[in-house]
Amino acid sequence: MNDLLIELNKEQQRAVKITKGPILILAGAGSGKTRVITHRIAHLIKKGYVDPWGILAITFTNKAADEMRTRLYNLLNNPGNMWIKTFHSTCARILREVLERKKSVKDIAGVSGNFTIYDEYDQIVLIKECLKDRNIDPQVFSPSAVAAYINRMKQDLRSIDDIDNDLMKTLYEDYDSKMSDYNALDFGDLIMRVVRIFQKDKQTLIHYQKRFQYILVDEYQDTNNAQYVLTKLLAEKHRNLCVVGDDDQSIYSWRGAEIRNILDFEKDFPDAVVIKLEQNYRSTKTILQAASAVVMNNERRKPKVLWSDEEQGEKIEFSALDDAYAEAAFVARKIIESKFHGVKLGEMAVFYRINFQSRVFEEACIRFQIPYEVVGALKFYDRAEIKDVLAYLKVIDNPQDAVSLSRIINVPARKIGHITLEKLVTNGKHTGLSLYNVLKQVDQVEGIAKKTKERIGQFSNLMEGFRKDCSVMSLHEFVLKVVKDSAYLDSLDPEKSEKDYTRRKNVEELVISIKDYCKQNPDTTLHGYLADVSLRSQIDEWEASAQRVSLMTLHNAKGLEFDTVFITGLEDGLIPHYKSKSELDQYEEERRLLYVGITRARKKLFLTNARQRPTLRGGLVYTMISPFFREIPIDVLGSSLEIQDW
């Protein structure tokens, strides 16, 4: 046990050794929270307080969960069958377990055990379908706005009856009905349905309360209402709930995160022990001074001050450039200069507030021949060819998934056009059959040419054959068979175009990744693989590289760290965003966003802005320096020329 504690500081040891009751660990940026969580779990298991299967550790990304799992493998000889998952993957597993064990729960869950998880793209496709059924122009009534509304309702655990707007209520009902018909759940459903099951089926709740004797939740400041309620329900019996987070890094209110969950933790648990981790192991003292000076201006926060035993470090460089192009060129030159002084490209990052700002930095990188990667741009699993292959697999796993089936019925081209598809869908509505079953009985559908029916029949037989093969082949071999026998791979001719070459390489990479996945998960099924893929996030796919500079928004930067960081566009209207000025909560979140950006830097921090930016009509508007910049102590700034006069 001494080996577990020796590398921890005093407060970290205290967090590890408390074994009973609720604990709030306020973990400042770079304070070693993952180390504390993993050492706490190892301590509980080694001391015999709990068996591994009695642990539930929840974090927000698969990447963080993988890191936690790896560290525990290094700390424990046999970490056992503990759950280290995201909220969504935790609930997906609970749903599948419950649906297999208790058929009566199906009415509450609204799906059967082989449900498909719809991502944002699938969700938008389905909403467009709902709008079309109601003859509503998607140009007038935005599908993404409808999706955001539905998602927020689910995050808040509100029902259809809580909706006042009649049209929105109708669209929600249509969407919910189609999701049920297609045996599908979206991300919001996963948590909401589990909460409903726990609230309506006490035996199921008691089962999981008994199982999870110790619950640990990372990034607690990012939890929404549904996640908060789920956590409280699971922790009611044993009350051994340890939440770890930093209110100063709460930057996701726009996607439902409730900062009050961490600020009010002691109201929910009056006997909670509060531990502050304030020693930073990441950044220089200069960087920490700047970060602390900015965030302490917020009213809604738990008081804490980061400190470090690291060196004082270089001063922060601020540069005001003439315009956005000059700003981008300046950053590019500093990247080249830093590389010359030994900083690897993979240890440098450029942050900006809004995605549109990336364009000038991309152009500058191209002009200066700097390899770069835009983090949060089109993800590998969002590419058309990858979604095509996954759609095949989703239909094979869940034939009721009409969204995926509609995507692939004519991919690759089989001369089954949109008009034919509409006739098939209409027939399903009239007969009550799923689209998949309509295909199997296509001879009975009127208004479709004989040759087209033959092609549909061939496709249906192909899919039925795949469904039989799936149960007798390894997952890797089966996916390879699907991409070959469906003629999808052959449709991507590398000799035809560069685009086809790239798309084919992406499909091949997917098959290779599935082979690697099977090695790591030898007992996996197609269903399990699809669930894992559906729950991947943008940051899960990011990998540090010595060959590329990372370009990303400040929001995407959270959880990452780099030797050298550039925070650009430090102007009033960008940081803070102009929409935040009317609400104190939003304004303070903008300040926290800058705090997060500053604390990503280990050794060197550059701050830049542009004195003028172009307008939509082609003119120029002069900018004002960010009010947050003036909160940074002047003595930590290296180049602050002309600031006083601006």
Side-chain angles (χ1 to χ4, degrees):
M1 285 313 305
N2 288 335
D3 291 340
L4 272 179
L5 299 176
I6 195 168
E7 60 185 58
L8 306 179
N9 64 40
K10 184 178 178 181
E11 289 303 297
Q12 289 175 333
Q13 288 184 17
R14 185 168 165 240
V16 166
K17 290 191 287 186
I18 295 174
T19 58
K20 290 294 179 183
I23 308 173
L24 169 61
I25 301 176
L26 293 170
S31 61
K33 66 181 177 65
T34 304
R35 179 190 298 176
V36 171
I37 294 171
T38 51
H39 279 67
R40 177 173 168 77
I41 292 172
H43 177 263
L44 291 169
I45 293 172
K46 282 193 171 185
K47 280 287 188 177
Y49 290 102
V50 64
D51 291 323
W53 60 267
I55 294 278
L56 172 62
I58 300 178
T59 188
F60 269 79
T61 66
N62 290 294
K63 192 180 187 73
D66 289 343
E67 181 184 352
M68 203 177 291
R69 203 174 289 112
T70 299
R71 291 197 189 194
L72 279 165
Y73 270 99
N74 292 330
L75 291 172
L76 300 168
N77 292 328
N78 180 20
N81 185 28
M82 69 184 77
W83 284 25
I84 304 174
K85 296 176 174 292
T86 64
F87 271 106
H88 292 110
S89 59
T90 296
C91 289
R93 180 164 175 179
I94 289 174
L95 277 172
R96 290 194 172 93
E97 287 185 353
V98 172
L99 287 166
E100 287 177 9
R101 193 172 64 246
K102 297 184 73 171
K103 302 302 180 185
S104 60
V105 173
K106 183 178 178 181
D107 291 338
I108 306 174
V111 291
S112 58
N114 67 328
F115 60 83
T116 297
I117 300 173
Y118 277 5
D119 61 16
E120 294 174 12
Y121 172 87
D122 298 324
Q123 193 178 18
I124 294 294
V125 169
L126 190 54
I127 289 171
K128 287 180 179 178
E129 190 178 309
C130 295
L131 292 171
K132 184 178 180 181
D133 290 346
R134 296 285 175 180
N135 294 314
I136 299 172
D137 187 351
Q139 299 297 321
V140 176
F141 212 72
S142 166
S144 59
V146 177
Y149 183 87
I150 290 173
N151 292 340
R152 195 56 185 260
M153 291 289 291
K154 292 177 180 180
Q155 289 168 1
D156 292 341
L157 296 177
R158 296 167 66 194
S159 69
I160 291 176
D161 295 334
D162 294 321
I163 302 175
D164 295 327
N165 184 293
D166 289 339
L167 178 55
M168 194 66 79
K169 187 172 185 176
T170 298
L171 289 172
Y172 193 136
E173 289 173 337
D174 291 349
Y175 174 84
D176 208 41
S177 177
K178 286 180 181 290
M179 290 288 282
S180 180
D181 290 343
Y182 299 167
N183 195 36
L185 297 175
D186 59 33
F187 290 168
D189 281 325
L190 291 171
I191 299 174
M192 184 181 71
R193 301 292 171 97
V194 170
V195 170
R196 283 182 181 173
I197 290 171
F198 285 168
Q199 291 172 336
K200 294 182 179 181
D201 188 327
K202 295 301 179 186
Q203 287 185 331
T204 298
L205 174 59
I206 291 169
H207 170 80
Y208 286 100
Q209 284 178 336
K210 285 182 177 178
R211 169 168 184 168
F212 298 126
Q213 299 167 52
Y214 285 86
I215 300 172
L216 302 94
V217 182
D218 192 13
E219 304 287 8
Y220 193 65
Q221 78 281 348
D222 293 335
T223 52
N224 59 37
N225 186 54
Q227 293 161 342
Y228 164 79
V229 172
L230 174 72
T231 302
K232 282 196 73 178
L233 285 169
L234 285 171
E236 273 178 355
K237 178 176 175 58
H238 296 289
R239 300 185 79 255
N240 294 324
L241 174 62
C242 174
V243 301
V244 185
D246 182 7
D247 50 298
D248 287 336
Q249 297 186 69
S250 179
I251 59 173
Y252 296 123
S253 66
W254 49 276
R255 69 183 190 200
E258 297 279 3
I259 192 173
R260 68 171 182 262
N261 291 347
I262 192 166
L263 292 176
D264 295 344
F265 186 80
E266 293 148 277
K267 292 180 181 178
D268 293 331
F269 299 91
D271 57 334
V273 176
V274 180
I275 298 172
K276 295 181 182 180
L277 303 182
E278 297 172 294
Q279 183 175 358
N280 177 282
Y281 294 92
R282 176 189 299 155
S283 307
T284 64
K285 292 177 181 177
T286 296
I287 291 169
L288 295 182
Q289 281 178 260
S292 296
V294 169
V295 81
M296 70 172 51
N297 289 281
N298 276 356
E299 295 177 12
R300 295 188 68 200
R301 67 183 295 265
K302 301 272 190 181
K304 54 189 169 302
V305 179
L306 292 180
W307 62 275
S308 174
D309 282 336
E310 299 295 320
E311 61 183 1
Q312 186 65 40
E314 295 183 54
K315 290 189 179 253
I316 297 166
E317 287 193 34
F318 169 77
S319 297
L321 289 307
D322 287 340
D323 56 30
Y325 296 99
E327 182 184 31
F330 170 83
V331 169
R333 285 193 292 270
K334 285 295 181 181
I335 288 171
I336 293 172
E337 183 182 311
S338 299
K339 184 186 177 188
F340 180 78
H341 286 101
V343 184
K344 295 179 180 178
L345 290 177
E347 290 298 346
M348 289 186 268
V350 180
F351 300 159
Y352 37 82
R353 175 64 179 83
I354 307 174
N355 276 310
F356 81 82
Q357 294 172 258
S358 73
R359 180 182 62 83
V360 291
F361 293 108
E362 289 187 68
E363 290 176 356
C365 285
I366 292 169
R367 188 165 68 254
F368 285 86
Q369 298 183 334
I370 300 170
Y372 71 93
E373 174 186 15
V374 181
V375 178
L378 187 64
K379 298 183 291 181
F380 178 77
Y381 289 96
D382 279 346
R383 299 181 189 278
E385 58 274 17
I386 302 303
K387 293 189 82 63
D388 288 341
V389 175
L390 292 178
Y392 270 97
L393 302 181
K394 287 178 180 180
V395 175
I396 293 163
D397 181 57
N398 172 24
Q400 290 174 253
D401 182 359
V403 169
S404 296
L405 182 54
S406 298
R407 181 184 182 97
I408 61 168
I409 192 171
N410 197 42
V411 176
R414 300 183 176 91
K415 296 184 179 180
I416 305 172
H418 291 298
I419 295 175
T420 299
L421 180 58
E422 287 182 4
K423 290 178 180 178
L424 295 168
V425 170
T426 300
N427 181 271
K429 291 177 180 176
H430 291 158
T431 60
L433 294 174
S434 68
L435 179 58
Y436 189 87
N437 285 331
V438 171
L439 300 187
K440 291 172 68 175
Q441 302 179 24
V442 69
D443 287 337
Q444 300 175 29
V445 180
E446 297 180 358
I448 297 178
K450 183 179 179 180
K451 286 188 177 180
T452 304
K453 286 184 177 181
E454 289 176 358
R455 289 192 287 268
I456 293 171
Q458 290 169 359
F459 173 72
S460 178
N461 291 336
L462 176 73
M463 297 303 291
E464 281 293 286
F466 285 152
R467 296 196 70 215
K468 292 176 183 176
D469 294 335
C470 182
S471 60
V472 296
M473 298 177 69
S474 72
L475 180 59
H476 168 248
E477 291 174 340
F478 173 69
V479 175
L480 189 58
K481 178 180 177 65
V482 170
V483 297
K484 286 183 176 179
D485 290 3
S486 66
Y488 191 86
L489 205 58
D490 289 340
S491 72
L492 304 175
D493 185 357
E495 302 298 325
K496 183 179 176 182
S497 69
E498 183 68 24
K499 183 179 179 181
D500 270 9
Y501 172 81
T502 301
R503 295 183 69 192
R504 186 181 178 103
K505 284 295 181 184
N506 284 337
V507 172
E508 291 172 356
E509 180 64 26
L510 175 67
V511 176
I512 292 169
S513 74
I514 291 173
K515 186 176 183 179
D516 292 339
Y517 180 89
C518 291
K519 288 180 181 177
Q520 296 171 13
N521 304 273
D523 298 326
T524 194
T525 61
L526 173 60
H527 193 67
Y529 169 74
L530 289 173
D532 280 355
V533 168
S534 298
L535 296 171
R536 294 185 68 86
S537 70
Q538 291 178 338
I539 296 302
D540 290 330
E541 295 179 30
W542 179 84
E543 291 293 341
S545 167
Q547 304 300 322
R548 297 171 293 183
V549 172
S550 295
L551 312 180
M552 68 185 78
T553 65
L554 284 161
H555 283 100
N556 278 331
K558 188 169 178 295
L560 306 178
E561 57 185 73
F562 303 88
D563 281 348
T564 300
V565 164
F566 298 83
I567 299 179
T568 65
L570 201 61
E571 302 145 28
D572 196 8
L574 283 177
I575 309 172
H577 194 275
Y578 72 93
K579 289 184 178 180
S580 70
K581 293 187 176 182
S582 60
E583 295 286 341
L584 178 62
D585 287 351
Q586 292 181 21
Y587 192 76
E588 291 199 342
E589 181 162 321
E590 291 291 307
R591 187 180 275 117
R592 293 194 294 269
L593 188 58
L594 178 58
Y595 170 82
V596 165
I598 292 172
T599 54
R600 301 309 94 195
R602 297 191 194 104
K603 299 177 181 178
K604 183 67 178 178
L605 176 63
F606 293 88
L607 304 175
T608 68
N609 58 23
R611 294 178 183 274
Q612 55 186 8
R613 289 191 182 272
T615 65
L616 187 62
R617 295 182 178 180
L620 291 171
V621 60
Y622 285 92
T623 67
M624 297 288 290
I625 196 167
S626 169
F628 298 157
F629 177 78
R630 298 187 184 277
E631 297 170 354
I632 298 174
I634 196 78
D635 59 340
V636 303
L637 295 171
S639 50
S640 53
L641 298 176
E642 304 178 47
I643 294 173
Q644 301 301 329
D645 298 328
W646 192 18

